[in-house]
Amino acid sequence: MRTLSTDGPDGESDEGTDDESNGGSEENATAAASSGFQAELAASVRAVDVLLLLLAPGALLAVFALPEPVRRGLAFSYTDPTLATAFASHFVHLDASHLAGNAVGYAVLAAVGYALAVLSAHRRFFLTALVTFLFAFPVALSALNLAVPRDAISFGFSGINMALAGLLPLLLGVYARERFVPSAPIRALPAAFFPLVGWIALLALPRSTDGVGLAGIATAIAGVLLGVLYASSAGIRLHRSTLGRIRDIASRPGYGDLFVAGAVLAVGYPVVGFPADPTGEGSVVNLYVHLLGFCLAFIGPFALLASGAFEE
Amino acid sequence: MINAHRTLAYALLLVAAGSLAFATGATVLDGPADTFAEERLAVQPADGPNGNYAYLNDDDEIVVDVSATNPNLSPDFEGVNAGALASADGVFTITYTADEYAHVWIDHEGESVTFLANGESIEGETNNVTLAPNESVGIGLSIDTRGEVAGTQLGADEFSINATIANPETADIEGDSGSSTGGGPTTMMSAPDANRREFVASDIGYGDTVRFGSDGMELDGGDVTLDGLDLEGVGNERVELHAAGSRDPPENGSALDAPTTPRSVAYLALEYDFEPDAVDAMTVRFSMDRDRLNATDTDPADVTFYRQTDAGEWNEKPVAVVDDETVRLQGLPTDRVHFRATTEKFSTFAVAERAPRFDVTDAVVEPTAIDPGDEATVRATVNNGGGAASEETVTLTAGGAPIANETVALAPNETATIELATTVEAAGNYELAVDGTSAGTLLVGDAGSDAGGDANEAVEAGSSDDTGAATGDTAPDDVSADDDPTEEPGSIDLAELGGLLALLVLAVAAGALVRRIPR
């Protein structure tokens, strides 16, 4: 069997062998690497970070404890917008299932994002983005919703969750560069963003055989092509060593698992956030705010990241 | 009505005189007669077999005697069956002998016996018949012994014959009302049930007309009754018919079914013992309660009559409404509407009401996509396939909720194109339909996040009362979303999130498994 090598920063490499007798030593190495990952992750987590991460769920629960008329009064009405409701509405949930969905979504996205950030030495970047998402995004997203006048009220935390999902490709990029591919250029990250936007279009836009129904597919194809073009212009080439790195990522317990989990979330969360049928009984899921959150959360932090503002 | 073991005897004596008073005229009578009204009315037993029930007594008073004491009848005759409904026409005749017109009627208080003229009651002034100079009318009897006990002797009753001078303007209308002279065929009718009659006519001359009175045989309770059957051009010396009425189709029969979808009211089944071509035509006399017609808002002109062919098809037969003047002159009950239907063949018949049937076809919405607040127009073709003209409201619905309507007046078999315009304020996809016929989907666009959603449930019902012509100008109605603002939660589905988490676990588990594969 051909031996593949990696050029990770720690200089570690897994060397494959045809010798079955080496299986036991490989398992031992895997267990050791896994415990090393856990130890490094535990050492990187700080109590103040955890408190900050728990700020959002605490706020969600506190608001949910308010009487429903009060919560409904905190919803953002497009016909009667106020600064207070523009901010508070993102922490308002009218029923428990709505709250539970957003709380679980936040827990997964924030946990994976934080782990990727601290293990890629981008803790400050992540926490800055999180604080921005929690305190600035609510007002920004509400304000942008006013661009489409309609008699409706908006509420719920999913816009901010989608911001965390939009941040995920950036965190995966810096994590990959930190752990697997030191030469990967940060400026190439939009090569992941465009296909994801195309993927969202494919999920959210109605599909049918007429012209309007082809918009989603067309946007998805355009997104993929833009991603390929962007990656090509950034000098990324798909060659055997890249495939080898992917295999290397998968073969590294802990670190590889975290990357895979992040990648699955980056691709899978839009499926949850952009359902094909967003209508419910007397309500319509605000896909507009989901898309805004996702895109703004990528574009802004990417600009700062590409400028080197968060090099640690 | 003859030779029954359980019998009633019945005798009637004429003792009262009429009240007519005018100049003496010439008499045209042959033979002795009882006279009234200063001898202007002459009463004689009829010439036919039923004339034996009447005779002049020693005082030349007319006697109607339906009992064993009648010398003209067979010694075996015992009387009328108990619990029977029987009739006999042509018992005696009344002839007007003066030179003007007269309204003639009989006053009689007994309930068991009804005097008939032309199959209808002649009792009471309102039921009078008009006689021209020297004109006669045959008087028959309807005897109802239901509720009487066998062997009862009803004894002698009195009746009086009355007359007044007729109004010259109306008297000549009734030119044929007295055509029966009592010398025609002998008819018998029995009523085994309220909705069944058995008719027998004998001594019929070739080509004669036989008139059966059915004494209000029920077709649909008392609301719809068969009042008589007139057979024209009868070729047999004797005919017998059995009639049965019902609200529902007769047993082994099918319900009324015709392309114009009339509503059946009642059915009349006839059984007869003659060849169909032995009778040229039959007139069915039936009537309907006026209150019932009013209650169902039915125009008498929309009452119709169907005959079922041997092949099972229903053919509409001509029906005429008896006009009010004729009803008055013939003394028919004025609280009922009287009809005459004619048929050449006999089988099962149906009394029905013509009904409108509006069908909407080819409903199309244009344009199929609009912006919120814009107007869309639905064009629909409406056809009245029923048998009655009507004015009906056609309704446009969005997702089942009415949003516009238009009233259309159509004659039978008339088709019209209508336009229903509506303005839609809320974005979404609306399934439009006109009276249940799909007009397609209207897409109301919105740059907002709810575009493409199914907004049918959010449509608020609205209606208009505008009435226009068939191609009228319906005022647009607004379609609006619910008064409450639409909720736009930023949410995700818990089940889908659970699926994502499961995928996450699978991916990590797959990575762990891959690492265990020996290289």
Side-chain angles (χ1 to χ4, degrees), chain A residues 17 72 98 150 153 155 158, chain B residues 486-488 490-491 515 519:
Chain A
T17 173
R72 197 171 281 278
H98 185 195
R150 56 197 187 277
I153 56 172
F155 53 93
S158 62
Chain B
T486 304
E487 291 182 1
E488 294 184 354
S491 66
R515 284 193 293 274
R519 300 183 182 183

Side-chain angles (χ1 to χ4, degrees), chain A residues 229-253:
Chain A
L229 284 172
Y230 204 96
S232 175
S233 67
I236 294 177
R237 299 287 185 274
L238 192 65
H239 47 69
R240 299 176 76 98
S241 63
T242 304
L243 295 173
R245 288 191 185 106
I246 292 173
R247 180 166 181 172
D248 177 49
I249 291 170
S251 66
R252 296 180 62 184

Side-chain angles (χ1 to χ4, degrees), chain A residues 17-18 20 27 72 78 98 101-102 104-105 108 148 150-155 158 250-251 253 257 261 264 268-269 272 279 283-286 288 290, chain B residues 446-450 453-454 457 482-494 496-497 500-501 503-504 507-508 511-512 515-519:
Chain A
T17 173
D18 290 333
E20 296 288 337
E27 286 181 8
R72 197 171 281 278
Y78 304 135
H98 185 195
N102 280 336
V104 173
V108 175
V148 185
R150 56 197 187 277
D151 184 17
I153 56 172
S154 178
F155 53 93
S158 62
S251 66
D257 293 339
V264 168
Y269 202 80
V272 179
T279 58
S283 66
V284 181
V285 174
N286 195 339
Y288 178 47
H290 286 188
Chain B
D446 185 352
S449 58
D450 58 351
D454 184 357
E457 293 181 2
D482 203 322
D483 285 341
D484 295 331
T486 304
E487 291 182 1
E488 294 184 354
S491 66
I492 56 174
D493 185 73
L494 263 178
E496 292 183 358
L497 184 60
L500 176 62
L501 295 178
L503 181 65
L504 210 59
V508 173
R515 284 193 293 274
R516 286 180 172 274
I517 297 173
R519 300 183 182 183

Side-chain angles (χ1 to χ4, degrees), chain A residues 252-264:
Chain A
R252 296 180 62 184
Y255 299 99
D257 293 339
L258 180 60
F259 186 85
V260 169
V264 168

